[in-house]
Amino acid sequence: MDLPLDELFKRVQNSIQQNNNKSTDVDLITKETGLPKQFVNYVVESVILHYNDIELLKHMVIFVAEKCKKEGIDINSTITATFLKKIEPICRTLKEDSAFFPDYKDDNRDTSLDFPLLTRFAIVATYCASYNPAVTDQRFFFKADISSKRRKGSGKNSKEKFHEKGPRAFEHQRSLFIFLFFCKNFDEAFEDFGADFQIDFTSQITHLVDVGLLRIVSAAENLDLPQYLSLCGLDFAKRIARSISEEFKLENYLWDFVNDF
């Protein structure tokens, strides 16, 4: 079922819920680490929305187990409210790169592939929202065939260059529209969701803030219209786009790199 973009937006806004589709084999991690299955399951469920590489997940489980040991937390305990209160702060640190990535990453490895597909879509969507004037969204993100009509700028026009002045704040709903556009155009499986489509875009945004790829710039009490600022570099955002699809040329969706406006 091919739903219009505005209809998808309404469905997402009206029915935001967490995607609990666990895509890893907890039994395999339990077997390889020798750690209690209920403990492994809890740690994996804490981060599966953001990370889905089996080796990375195993590394995280071991990291949490070692932290628990240092703090005197018995990971063989039954999962109770008291146990969760002790372990939750440790699991929360898994959203911060410095907690575990230095021991896991290979300097020559493309780290963009560590992000699940929807997170990568969120990265490029928020980057575009931060580096494009809002008035260009209608032209960029509401015409399915627009990318084939764009040309790279020659550098001779006098329009303001956003990349020279840095990122600008954008609203949550604006980035959601762009996110849905990219999903619709670069993920074939996206169409299969049909009328039952649901996704928690807010969790994706929260994760990007946690790992330092976004910054909240609105007041804490502004819950209805939060604003963010992308902290990604252009090369990183382009690499993320290419990891989604070889046909995904991020420059085709950035104001600074086109001259047909």
Side-chain angles (χ1 to χ4, degrees):
M1 180 179 179
D2 189 6
L3 294 174
L5 195 59
D6 57 346
E7 179 62 25
L8 285 173
F9 177 78
K10 291 177 182 178
R11 291 180 185 276
V12 173
Q13 287 295 92
N14 293 332
S15 186
I16 296 293
Q17 69 172 21
Q18 185 173 5
N19 178 7
N20 290 319
N21 180 26
K22 186 163 51 178
S23 61
T24 189
D25 191 345
V26 172
D27 290 333
L28 179 60
I29 297 178
T30 301
K31 180 179 179 180
E32 293 187 357
T33 62
L35 297 170
K37 184 175 180 178
Q38 63 174 1
F39 169 79
V40 172
N41 187 66
Y42 176 77
V43 175
V44 169
E45 286 188 341
S46 298
V47 297
I48 194 63
L49 178 65
H50 310 301
Y51 304 102
N52 55 15
D53 179 85
I54 186 72
E55 290 300 320
L56 179 55
L57 289 171
K58 183 170 67 174
H59 184 91
M60 291 178 173
V61 169
I62 294 172
F63 170 83
V64 175
E66 291 176 347
K67 289 283 290 184
C68 287
K69 183 178 180 180
K70 290 180 181 179
E71 297 186 19
I73 301 173
D74 183 8
I75 62 175
N76 292 292
S77 301
T78 303
I79 302 294
T80 62
T82 301
F83 177 80
L84 294 180
K85 186 176 181 180
K86 293 179 180 179
I87 195 176
E88 194 276 334
I90 299 175
C91 288
R92 190 165 58 240
T93 65
L94 293 176
K95 296 179 181 179
E96 302 172 6
D97 281 19
S98 59
F100 53 87
F101 275 102
D103 296 328
Y104 177 78
K105 299 292 182 188
D106 184 312
D107 291 339
N108 297 319
R109 188 162 168 257
D110 187 353
T111 57
S112 64
L113 299 180
D114 289 327
F115 293 105
L117 182 60
L118 291 180
T119 303
R120 281 179 271 161
F121 276 124
I123 290 172
V124 293
T126 53
Y127 186 87
C128 288
S130 213
Y131 281 95
N132 281 337
V135 295
T136 65
D137 287 356
Q138 181 70 28
R139 180 71 185 275
F140 275 127
F141 306 114
F142 289 89
K143 293 184 179 181
D145 61 345
I146 184 172
S147 62
S148 63
K149 297 180 180 180
R150 297 207 183 89
R151 305 181 303 278
K152 284 190 175 181
S154 63
K156 296 181 180 180
N157 56 49
S158 59
K159 70 182 183 183
E160 181 181 11
K161 295 291 186 180
F162 271 44
H163 283 77
E164 292 178 358
K165 295 191 175 182
R168 301 190 182 187
F170 61 88
E171 293 184 353
H172 181 279
Q173 291 187 354
R174 182 179 169 222
S175 60
L176 175 55
F177 263 121
I178 300 173
F179 170 83
L180 291 173
F181 172 87
F182 285 144
C183 287
K184 188 177 178 69
N185 284 275
F186 291 102
D187 183 8
E188 295 180 358
F190 185 79
E191 297 295 342
D192 296 335
F193 286 109
D196 296 327
F197 173 77
Q198 293 176 329
I199 190 172
D200 191 349
F201 180 67
T202 300
S203 286
Q204 301 294 342
I205 289 291
T206 300
H207 175 55
L208 296 186
V209 172
D210 288 340
V211 299
L213 296 179
L214 281 183
R215 177 188 301 157
I216 301 175
V217 294
S218 54
E221 61 272 15
N222 188 9
L223 300 178
D224 294 332
L225 295 172
Q227 292 190 328
Y228 306 91
L229 199 70
S230 174
L231 301 180
C232 296
L234 176 60
D235 289 341
F236 176 76
K238 288 166 63 176
R239 189 166 69 249
I240 289 289
R242 287 196 303 271
S243 75
I244 294 172
S245 170
E246 287 296 327
E247 298 179 357
F248 194 164
K249 308 299 182 184
L250 188 61
E251 300 96 317
N252 289 341
Y253 302 93
L254 291 172
W255 161 257
D256 285 350
F257 298 95
V258 297
N259 63 2
D260 56 351
F261 282 88

